[in-house]
Amino acid sequence: MLAVRGGAMGEQDLVTQLLPTLARSLDGGFNLFDVMHHGTHEKQISNVFRWLLDAEETHGLGEAFADIFIGEVNRSLPDGEPLEPGGYWVRQEVNTAQDAGGMDIADLVLESKSTTIVVENYGTSDGHGHGYEQYLRYSQRDSRRGVVVMLCHQLDRSRLTRGWENAAVVTYQSVLEALRQALVNDRTYLRQCPEAFSLIDQMHRKYVKGRGPMEERKVLDFVVAMCDTGEAVRYSQNNIDRVAEQFASDLHEQARARFGEGRVLLQQVKDRLKSYSSTVLTRQLDAASSRTVVRKVAANYVGKWRWEVILPLETGDGPADDIQLIFGPSAWHTQHESAPNPLSDPDYTRIFVWRHSTKEFRQSEVSMQEVLDGLDPQDDRLRDEILALLNDSRALQ
């Protein structure tokens, strides 16, 4: 079961507390790397980088990606003459310690007639047991120009120790962002190599898009919410897949219950707002304007406009018009789909007012909680909001 601790935070259930931290689209789009669980091991992602670096491969890029990669290496070289672009062939899983009779496998090796680049590919910028000096000796054998490169997803310079601080560092983001930018407006390439571009685009989404500081902040907020709600104990358990599935199941049950309760509560707001409008608000409007303002009160909309009360205006022979008291999800739809001038910072705990003919949208001072608690018959805040929309000079005197 979901744990909820006492205290200020503990008064909110897990769904209420976690929902803001889960505010990303549930439809992340198809991604081959996710479907195949590819790229979770360095060998898998090295396969893709080898494919991109090989000018003769099926991507149709020629040496374009290799040139981007060499350019990033040159920008990261601690010192010395930059490497020349072009003319590299690629090998994978190369034993750099073979002359010494040992084993130290580099993920990728790029070689030209005069230069060798030894690449260690890892999720973080960590040599994780591989020997920088061994890689460097291998790259410089036979008096060649030699460079050691750390290719990584996440750069953490504190991990660059035991010689790796001298390596050129290239991140997935730097090369994949540059590659995608070069291709996204290349109509010829997109037309001739759509499958290859699709894979490159999916790789970009997997390893680059959405992984900046803002996304990290959201993930951190989620972890903090887990602590605030007493759910942090789940992080101490070892079977990650089983724990994640159980957490998702528990969250599903509570979310399902809360969603149903939310719909019931919205219906209560609607019923009470309609009753208040029929018995109090219409009389207030008529008294303020010395004429019949609202013909009747209705609340018969469904779908995304379900959560509102409609006040059809008495317009005589003029065109039909109405005022709508909107709240909750319907207020959200109005803000995002209908209002020509959306509100800058809407508070969805409030009742909103909309005029059909002018498409004016305002936030009232009246809250849904006040409607549930019962508005005082002397409360004229909704009346004044409506009169302001009607711009009735007689009523405002």
Side-chain angles (χ1 to χ4, degrees), residues 362-378:
R362 299 190 181 191
Q363 176 180 300
S364 80
E365 295 182 358
V366 178
S367 70
M368 285 192 284
Q369 186 61 59
E370 288 177 301
V371 174
L372 288 169
D373 292 341
L375 290 172
D376 191 293
Q378 304 304 314

Side-chain angles (χ1 to χ4, degrees), residues 52-208:
L52 289 170
L53 288 164
D54 190 337
E56 303 300 321
E57 270 291 358
T58 56
H59 45 61
L61 297 169
E63 293 187 337
F65 182 74
D67 289 346
I68 290 172
F69 183 82
I70 297 300
E72 289 301 317
V73 172
N74 286 335
R75 270 187 279 276
S76 185
L77 283 174
D79 50 42
E81 182 181 353
L83 304 175
E84 293 184 2
Y88 290 88
W89 62 93
V90 188
R91 292 185 291 151
Q92 195 172 351
E93 298 288 301
V94 177
N95 182 16
T96 62
Q98 55 188 354
D99 293 340
M103 292 286 287
D104 197 358
I105 307 298
D107 295 306
L108 298 165
V109 172
L110 285 70
E111 293 189 88
S112 68
K113 293 181 179 180
S114 61
T115 304
T116 299
I117 304 172
V118 180
V119 181
E120 180 57 31
N121 171 42
Y122 198 55
T124 56
S125 50
D126 188 336
H128 62 111
H130 292 281
Y132 171 83
E133 295 298 335
Q134 178 62 56
Y135 281 16
L136 184 62
R137 285 194 297 271
Y138 181 85
S139 70
Q140 294 175 341
R141 71 193 192 290
D142 302 326
S143 300
R144 298 168 65 81
R145 172 82 188 276
V147 173
V148 178
V149 175
M150 169 61 68
L151 174 63
C152 59
H153 186 196
Q154 300 291 339
L155 173 59
D156 181 354
R157 294 197 176 278
S158 68
R159 292 175 175 265
L160 294 170
T161 60
R162 300 179 181 273
W164 286 101
E165 63 273 16
N166 300 314
V169 179
V170 176
T171 64
Y172 297 177
Q173 178 173 356
S174 64
V175 289
L176 293 175
E177 185 70 36
L179 177 62
R180 189 181 184 282
Q181 286 299 317
L183 298 179
V184 71
N185 294 318
D186 187 339
R187 294 184 179 180
T188 301
Y189 181 82
L190 296 177
R191 183 178 64 255
Q192 294 178 350
C193 305
E195 296 90 350
F197 177 76
S198 177
L199 181 62
I200 292 167
D201 187 52
Q202 291 173 57
M203 190 179 185
H204 176 269
R205 294 203 312 267
K206 175 71 175 179
Y207 295 106
V208 178

Side-chain angles (χ1 to χ4, degrees), residues 7 22 32 62 96 115 152 157 175 202 204 208 213 221 223 227 246 256 294 307 325 329 338 348 352:
L22 298 173
L32 184 63
T96 62
T115 304
C152 59
R157 294 197 176 278
V175 289
Q202 291 173 57
H204 176 269
V208 178
D221 288 344
V223 173
C227 295
Q246 184 61 53
R256 185 181 182 89
V294 176
W307 311 114
L325 304 178
S338 302
Y348 292 110
F352 295 78

Side-chain angles (χ1 to χ4, degrees), residues 327-338:
F327 56 94
S330 294
W332 184 91
H333 282 293
T334 304
Q335 166 78 2
H336 290 275
E337 298 180 11
S338 302

